[in-house]
Amino acid sequence: MANTLRSYLTCIRNTLEAAMCLQNFPCQEVERHNKPEVELKTSPELLLNPVKQADELENILTKKFLRFLSMRAEAFQVLRRKPVQGYDISFLITNYHCEDMQKHKLIDFIMQFMEDIDKEINELKLSVNTRGRLVATEFLKQFI
Amino acid sequence: MKNQRRLITIYMNLGLSNIIFSVAQASVSDSQNIYLSLSTPPILPEVLPNGLPQSTLQAVKKVHPDIVEVVEHPEEGFQLTLKLNFAKLPHRRDCIKVISDISSLQAVILSSQLKETLWSLGSRDISHGMYKPIKLVYHPREPFFVIRMPEKTTAIFPMRFRDDSDVILATAFFQELMDVGSSSAWAKAPPCTWSPIPPPELRGEPFQDLSTNGGFVSFDIFSRHVEGTRLDKTVWSLLNFYAYVKYHVKCTRGFIQRRMRKRLEILAEAINLHYKVP
C-alpha cells in the first residue's frame, strides 16, 4: 500500500483507540430512556475524514459507492445511514457495539473498511477506463 | 383494417408518431391500401434540389417490394409517397417484421443520403454547400452535423445526457476514444476529437443545437473510410454513434452496481464473521 495511505490510516487507528471509551449512561432528561449522546452532540461524535478524491471519475465513483453502502447501513451495524454534513461517510458506534464486538477488532474493522473502500474505488476507476478503451477500440475497428 | 391499426400502433410504439426527421401523412384509400407520404430535408439540396437521389429511391424500393410501392408522383408537399398493400401482409410473426422494416424506412432514407454525401468525398465536381454544417436527425432529439470539405467530411455529435454521472462516464469514454485513435496502431481510423465547447465549424448554428452537457465529439472521415464495402460500415457507425455511447454508459453503470454489491457482501461478511464477540 502507498506510504501516504498507511500514515493516514495509522493516524486514524490511533485516534480511534483514544476515542472509543464508551459506556452505558441513562438519559438525564427522560426517565428510562437511553439515548446515544454522540447523536445529540453533547459528546464528541466519531467521524471519518473525507476519502481522498483526485478527479471527477473518482468523485462520482466515491459518491456512488459510499451512498450505496450508507443506504445498506444495517448490514454493517456501526455505519450511519446518513453521513454527517460535510462528510462522505459516518460511523456511529455505541456502547452496545463495544459490548457486542471486541474493541480492538472493531477498530480493525473500520481500518480494513477504509482500506477496502480505497482499493475498491481504485479498481473501479481502472475497470471503467479499461472498459472504455476496449469499447473505443471496437468502435474504431469498424472503420478499418 | 386490423393490420392497418397494427401499423399505426407500431408507428406509435417506435416513436414515429412525432416523426423525427420529417413529416408523415397516412391516408386510407380503401380497406387494403394505405398511402404514406414522407418529407425529409435533403442532405444535398444544392445538388439535388428536386427530391431524393436515385440511390435512395432504389434502397426504398428494395424494402418488401411486394407490399411497398413507390408512387411516381409524390403528394404535394412531400418528397416520397408509398402505397402499402395490406392484402399482401403475411400473418403473425412475419407481419411484425414487415411492419418493423417499413417503420425503418427513415433509417434507410437517411443512411442512403449520408452515403451519397460521403461517397462524394474527393470529388471535384461537388463544390456546392462546402463548409456549411448539414443537420441530420437519426435519433429523436439527438441531431448531429456533417460538414463537407475538399479532402474530408467531418461528423460532429453534440452529446447530451440526463444524469451528471452519465456525463462523467461518457467523458471518460471519449478520452479513451481520443487516446486510442491517436495511437500509431490506429492511424487508419478516423481522427477523433472531443471538446467541451462547440467546435468552430458549428459557429452560427442555433443555440438549442449547441447547448450540451457532454461536449462535442468529432470524426474526420477521409476517402479511405468510404472505399468499397467500408462505406456501409462507416455510415452505420456514424448513424448509431449516439446509441453506442448510451449503451456503453448503461452497461458501465450496471457493471459498477454489480461490483459495489459484491464488495458490500464481502464487507458485511467480514464484520459478521470476524469482529463479533463469539
Side-chain angles (χ1 to χ4, degrees), chain A residues 132-142, chain B residues 177 180 186 244:
Chain A
R133 184 160 280 260
L134 285 171
V135 169
T137 306
E138 286 305 310
F139 181 75
L140 292 176
K141 262 188 203 171
Q142 296 171 89
Chain B
L177 199 56
V180 171
W186 293 92
Y244 198 85

Side-chain angles (χ1 to χ4, degrees), chain B:
Chain B
M1 215 39 209
K2 188 178 166 187
N3 284 333
Q4 288 164 6
R5 269 193 235 117
R6 189 180 285 174
L7 174 63
I8 292 167
T9 307
I10 294 286
Y11 267 107
M12 297 291 285
N13 288 340
L14 294 177
L16 290 177
S17 57
N18 24 295
I19 296 281
I20 348 141
F21 65 108
S22 62
V23 175
Q25 174 181 286
S27 58
V28 179
S29 65
D30 52 62
S31 60
Q32 301 299 326
N33 297 301
I34 277 188
Y35 286 86
L36 184 67
S37 297
L38 304 172
S39 174
T40 174
I43 294 184
L44 304 170
E46 299 84 6
V47 178
L48 297 163
N50 296 322
L52 301 173
Q54 272 305 312
S55 55
T56 304
L57 288 171
Q58 291 304 320
V60 170
K61 282 177 182 172
K62 284 182 190 167
V63 176
H64 299 289
D66 51 335
I67 299 166
V68 180
E69 186 188 326
V70 176
V71 174
E72 199 181 324
H73 299 291
E75 286 246 353
E76 197 174 327
F78 295 89
Q79 290 166 307
L80 182 69
T81 297
L82 304 171
K83 181 180 167 189
L84 309 177
N85 186 344
F86 281 92
K88 295 194 178 163
L89 265 180
H91 295 293
R92 294 181 188 171
R93 279 186 224 164
D94 294 337
C95 172
I96 300 292
K97 190 192 176 303
V98 167
I99 292 172
S100 297
D101 287 344
I102 294 171
S103 303
S104 306
L105 277 171
Q106 173 226 356
V108 169
I109 291 170
L110 205 54
S111 66
S112 175
Q113 292 191 64
L114 184 57
K115 256 192 230 182
E116 195 77 26
T117 307
L118 295 176
W119 188 249
S120 66
L121 259 175
S123 165
R124 302 285 176 221
D125 295 336
I126 297 181
S127 56
H128 297 287
M130 287 249 175
Y131 304 105
K132 189 182 167 205
I134 302 164
K135 182 175 166 181
L136 297 172
V137 183
Y138 188 67
H139 291 278
R141 295 179 295 278
E142 289 177 338
F144 68 100
F145 295 88
V146 168
I147 298 122
R148 289 185 301 140
M149 286 179 244
E151 298 299 326
K152 65 178 181 180
T153 295
T154 299
I156 302 177
F157 297 84
M159 305 302 302
R160 293 177 189 87
F161 301 92
R162 282 188 205 166
D163 206 84
D164 286 344
S165 56
D166 286 358
V167 172
I168 294 165
L169 292 176
T171 308
F173 169 65
F174 300 145
Q175 296 287 352
E176 293 297 332
L177 199 56
M178 283 201 293
D179 284 346
V180 171
S182 62
S183 63
S184 53
W186 293 92
K188 288 184 184 174
C192 167
T193 51
W194 175 78
S195 164
I197 58 171
E201 293 94 334
L202 294 186
R203 202 168 288 161
E205 289 303 308
F207 177 76
Q208 65 267 20
D209 290 337
L210 300 186
S211 53
T212 70
N213 57 3
F216 297 80
V217 180
S218 304
F219 292 97
D220 290 333
I221 308 296
F222 293 92
S223 54
R224 63 175 181 270
H225 301 123
V226 298
E227 283 166 1
T229 54
R230 290 197 194 111
L231 177 61
D232 282 340
K233 283 187 189 171
T234 297
V235 167
W236 181 250
S237 299
L238 292 177
L239 289 178
N240 289 285
F241 180 67
Y242 278 123
Y244 198 85
V245 172
K246 296 282 168 80
Y247 189 64
H248 165 66
V249 168
K250 184 180 171 186
C251 290
T252 303
R253 287 172 74 110
F255 167 75
I256 292 169
Q257 194 77 4
R258 286 192 299 276
R259 281 287 299 248
M260 292 193 300
R261 195 168 289 125
K262 185 77 191 161
R263 180 57 63 179
L264 171 82
E265 284 169 11
I266 294 169
L267 289 170
E269 201 182 316
I271 195 170
N272 286 327
L273 283 180
H274 300 299
Y275 299 106
K276 280 202 166 171
V277 173

Side-chain angles (χ1 to χ4, degrees), chain A residues 4-68:
Chain A
T4 49
L5 182 62
R6 175 57 66 194
S7 310
Y8 170 64
L9 291 175
T10 306
C11 176
I12 291 182
R13 179 181 282 276
N14 294 338
T15 308
L16 283 171
E17 289 274 5
M20 218 174 289
C21 48
L22 300 166
Q23 59 180 343
N24 190 19
F25 194 85
C27 178
Q28 298 181 97
E29 290 168 20
V30 182
E31 197 176 331
R32 294 207 281 178
H33 273 222
N34 192 336
K35 295 177 183 175
E37 286 298 314
V38 292
E39 289 285 337
L40 299 175
K41 307 228 186 298
T42 58
S43 301
E45 185 174 358
L46 183 67
L47 296 172
L48 278 180
N49 286 322
V51 176
K52 62 173 175 62
Q53 294 167 15
D55 58 32
E56 278 190 331
L57 184 57
E58 249 183 70
N59 272 347
I60 58 140
L61 290 175
T62 304
K63 273 200 181 98
K64 273 184 180 298
F65 187 43
L66 295 179
R67 187 166 181 270
F68 184 85

